[in-house]
Amino acid sequence: MKLISWNVNGLRACIGKGFLDFAAGSGADMICLQETKLQPEQAVFDLPGYRRYFNSADKKGYSGTAVLTREEPLSVAYDFGSDLHRHEGRLITAEYPAFYLVCCYTPNAQDELKRIDYRMAWEDDLRAYLMELDGKKPVVYCGDLNVAHEEIDLKNPGPNRGRAGFSDQEREKMTALLQSGFCDTFRTLYPDTVKYSWWSYRFRAREKNAGWRIDYFIVSRRLMDAVTDADILTDVYGSDHCPVSLTLQI
């Protein structure tokens, strides 16, 4: 079973840059998207074989997630927790016989960490939600999680320390999640490999490979034995992020 996650930074724009050809040729059973930036009625495209589930923000042209899946889920839930977390279209949970698939677009802490208080509340509440799911069946949690966990996960850790995506607070929340019974699949399989999944559009960052690894597949620890590969598809363009993939033997 192959899964792909990609922050497309505007699905309609990404479609114009080859998304449909990529998706059709990917061989993926499930494709999770973040930052779709559209309402469901705007999702007009031809991708045979995939059922489509969209979660859109109240604010048009902002945030949003989607799950495209060949296998019909047992159930699908949108958002989680209190009303606080139910306005930006950031989460979709699809239940399958063997696991829960959680597609997530984590809130950015923003410049000068203006939104760090909300980000911390989100992290605590989402961790509790994932642990609740994990108590029922294993979890596959993926998406743009907006944090580079360790120094190996970004090109320039020194100048970026304390900034959004590499603040101590955000990194500590990722550590707390992993200590709660979950594994970062790519880093578990490839502890010393340097690969990035996001590059700024500025300063020719992608050309210089001055990037960050902020897109993840995280799984329940007991599911890690079923993981046969996790990859970062750096040769795929169409967004300022590239897709990440997970292969499971289930």
Side-chain angles (χ1 to χ4, degrees):
M1 177 180 290
K2 184 176 182 181
L3 301 90
I4 284 173
S5 177
W6 193 3
N7 179 323
V8 291
N9 193 7
L11 180 55
R12 287 171 293 177
C14 196
I15 286 173
K17 299 174 184 177
F19 170 79
L20 294 178
D21 288 340
F22 165 77
S26 68
D29 297 284
M30 296 132 190
I31 302 173
C32 295
L33 305 178
Q34 302 87 43
E35 208 169 357
T36 53
K37 296 183 178 179
L38 49 67
Q39 302 301 117
E41 65 271 14
Q42 297 174 306
V44 180
F45 58 87
D46 187 29
L47 190 62
Y50 288 93
R51 298 175 182 271
R52 311 172 187 191
Y53 302 91
F54 287 87
N55 191 10
S56 301
D58 295 351
K59 178 182 176 181
K60 292 185 177 180
Y62 176 72
S63 187
T65 47
V67 172
L68 314 177
T69 174
R70 292 189 182 276
E71 180 180 347
E72 183 176 5
L74 299 175
S75 65
V76 177
Y78 300 96
D79 303 311
F80 77 103
S82 69
D83 183 70
L84 181 68
H85 304 310
R86 293 184 173 272
H87 296 279
E88 297 184 358
R90 293 187 177 274
L91 205 80
I92 300 175
T93 303
E95 180 185 1
Y96 295 95
F99 58 86
Y100 289 102
L101 174 64
V102 180
C103 170
C104 178
Y105 178 36
T106 300
N108 192 302
Q110 299 184 353
D111 291 342
E112 300 179 356
L113 304 183
K114 287 183 293 189
R115 212 182 186 197
I116 193 67
D117 290 343
Y118 177 62
R119 173 67 179 267
M120 294 297 97
W122 169 279
E123 294 285 356
D124 290 339
D125 293 347
L126 184 61
R127 184 173 67 255
Y129 174 69
L130 294 173
M131 291 175 67
E132 179 184 349
L133 293 179
D134 187 50
K136 302 171 185 175
K137 64 176 70 173
V139 173
V140 176
Y141 169 49
C142 68
D144 174 3
L145 304 189
N146 260 319
V147 61
H149 186 215
E150 303 290 352
E151 291 192 354
I152 192 175
D153 295 319
L154 72 166
K155 179 70 171 180
N156 297 304
N160 286 295
R161 188 173 303 280
R163 295 182 179 176
F166 198 58
S167 67
D168 290 344
Q169 301 98 305
E170 292 164 298
R171 297 171 67 196
E172 287 167 1
K173 294 300 184 184
M174 174 62 82
T175 297
L177 174 64
L178 298 179
Q179 290 176 343
S180 299
F182 298 91
C183 293
D184 173 353
T185 57
F186 180 80
R187 190 55 67 212
T188 300
L189 293 178
Y190 307 108
D192 302 315
T193 298
V194 175
K195 258 188 167 183
Y196 307 124
S197 65
W198 173 79
W199 304 261
S200 170
Y201 278 135
R202 303 167 64 193
F203 311 121
R204 295 159 51 204
R206 190 159 187 173
E207 181 181 331
K208 298 175 182 177
N209 199 28
W212 299 47
R213 186 176 76 95
I214 60 176
D215 300 88
Y216 295 80
F217 269 101
I218 290 174
V219 302
S220 298
R221 191 168 296 145
R222 66 188 184 279
L223 196 59
M224 194 64 210
D225 287 344
V227 174
T228 59
D229 197 20
D231 201 2
I232 301 174
L233 309 180
T234 56
D235 59 342
V236 178
Y237 287 74
S239 169
D240 52 348
H241 295 249
C242 73
V244 296
S245 68
L246 180 72
T247 307
L248 294 172
Q249 187 67 47
I250 292 180

